Amino acid sequence: MSRKLLPALAAAAVLSVGIAACGGSDDNASGSSGVSGTIAGAGSSAQEAAQEAWKANFESANSGATVSYDPIGSGGGRDQFIAGGATAFAGSDSPFDSDELPKATQRCQSGGGDLVQIPDYISPIAIVYNLSGVDNLQLSPEVTAKIFKGEITKWNDPAIAADNAGVDLPDTDITPVHRSDESGTTANFTDYLHEAAPSVWTDDPDSNWPLNGGEAGAQTSGMVQAVKAGDGAIGYADASQAQDLGVAKVKVGNSYVAPSADGAAADFEQSQKDPELSQGKFVFAYKVDRTSTDPSTYPVLLVSYLIGCTKYDSTDTTDTVKAYFNYVISSDGQQAAAQNAGSAPLPPGIAKEGQTAVDAIGG
């Protein structure tokens, strides 16, 4: 596929934004609630481009407000949120797990509030590669899993050739690259491998890369740089940050599908709520459909979450968090993310559900 991925993704997402009724009042949607306060967030590096757009637009509409966001990775963001202190909110590409959820709930309850965890960002994960002379690459789930397990070590392996008829594949060593930090992108990518190629990828999904060895990069930027550094390298990253790397098409049913905002949104529409991890009035978690055979879907995606509390020690913090969350999930906020990060807008039902949680902040 074309390496000019981000503009195409963004254009597709913007076109589809108009069909998403993302809830909230007009004032909430524009972010112009006139709040004054300083809030700090941390977490998902996949959300970084979206957070930059949200922060800029929100601060422009609220001259007395300041928002900071540290893209340290989903695991770091969840840890900082649980610890409390200066981190008022977090972004995470995977929901709190069963061990973390009670701790996060307690953090909010200690201040007299409830935990809020709502989807705010839907994006395809690109399988990125750096291979001289190969501009179009197709991979089945089983071949992808074998590559990242180190079972396929040459780019001209017959299994890869079977997915790429007519492509002149070089006799180049494959260098799989994974994230070195605790990562929601890793959790989603290993979930895809586990669900779509269970006979090959027998490890459970995990935010930490489950295999020893191989090359690694910290955060999304480190992953991308590691892939760019060596001919024959392959990795995975939020599609908005694929830069000029090659991006593989993945096999869905009998077709090979490129990552797209529309495809990610269509797959998420088929996903179900995870009852085990949706514990709390305003805690929503979803089990993504990784085994779709519908070529209009793209199953290698991440659903990222916005995490906060309904009450904080400071009224200014509470009001600013509420206003910021309102903007993020509004139609305006979702369009800003689509333009800056190529993400997909929240489906109307998901946005409406999230709005009930945001409305409870400060209540």
Side-chain angles (χ1 to χ4, degrees), residues 181-192:
D181 54 325
E182 187 178 359
S183 159
T185 309
T186 295
N188 281 276
F189 185 61
T190 55
D191 186 48
Y192 165 72

Side-chain angles (χ1 to χ4, degrees), residues 297-316:
T297 67
Y298 183 79
V300 196
L301 73 144
L302 60 83
V303 176
S304 209
Y305 295 84
L306 194 59
I307 295 164
C309 298
T310 60
K311 186 177 180 181
Y312 296 85
D313 292 340
S314 162
T315 300
D316 283 348

